[in-house]
Amino acid sequence: MSDIKGVDVNIMGRDFTISCTDEERPGLINAVNFLDKKMRDIRDSGKIIGVERIAMMAALNLAHELLNSKSGTVDVGDFKRRITNMQDQIDKVCAAK
């Protein structure tokens, strides 16, 4: 197991240091980028003003998406299988060329 280190990240112009292991770092960076984009999209819509309110709306939107995916509205496993199948097909076509 890796040592826990501080990773400097930036979300909507604000700097944060978050502790994580080397193995967790790529996932953390993906999450930071995803959250930053969600918050910027909300800000750019012009309907919500203030970083705290934007963060709250982003959190509510993400919680809603997560709960819908768990309630059966979205079958994440099926999406993963379909994406894997598409990737396999792409690999076969690329290998044939």
Side-chain angles (χ1 to χ4, degrees), residues 7-94:
V7 177
D8 295 327
V9 299
N10 185 291
I11 301 172
M12 274 197 46
R14 293 188 177 196
D15 294 321
F16 300 92
T17 300
I18 302 173
S19 299
C20 69
T21 64
D22 288 338
E23 291 83 14
E24 295 170 325
R25 190 174 194 280
L28 172 64
I29 298 301
N30 284 338
V32 165
N33 291 336
F34 186 76
L35 178 59
D36 185 61
K37 181 178 180 341
K38 286 277 190 189
M39 289 180 67
R40 287 178 187 279
D41 289 347
I42 291 168
R43 180 199 62 197
D44 293 346
S45 75
K47 295 178 184 176
I48 309 291
I49 298 173
V51 176
E52 290 79 15
R53 289 177 184 246
I54 291 170
M56 184 61 67
M57 287 306 299
L60 286 170
N61 288 338
L62 293 170
H64 181 262
E65 290 173 18
L66 177 64
L67 291 173
N68 280 340
S69 70
K70 285 186 174 184
S71 70
T73 305
V74 175
D75 184 351
V76 175
D78 182 51
F79 279 122
K80 287 181 180 180
R81 282 187 294 280
R82 291 170 61 190
I83 290 170
T84 300
N85 287 337
M86 285 186 252
Q87 185 62 51
D88 290 343
Q89 291 174 0
I90 291 168
D91 290 343
K92 286 177 187 176
V93 169
C94 289

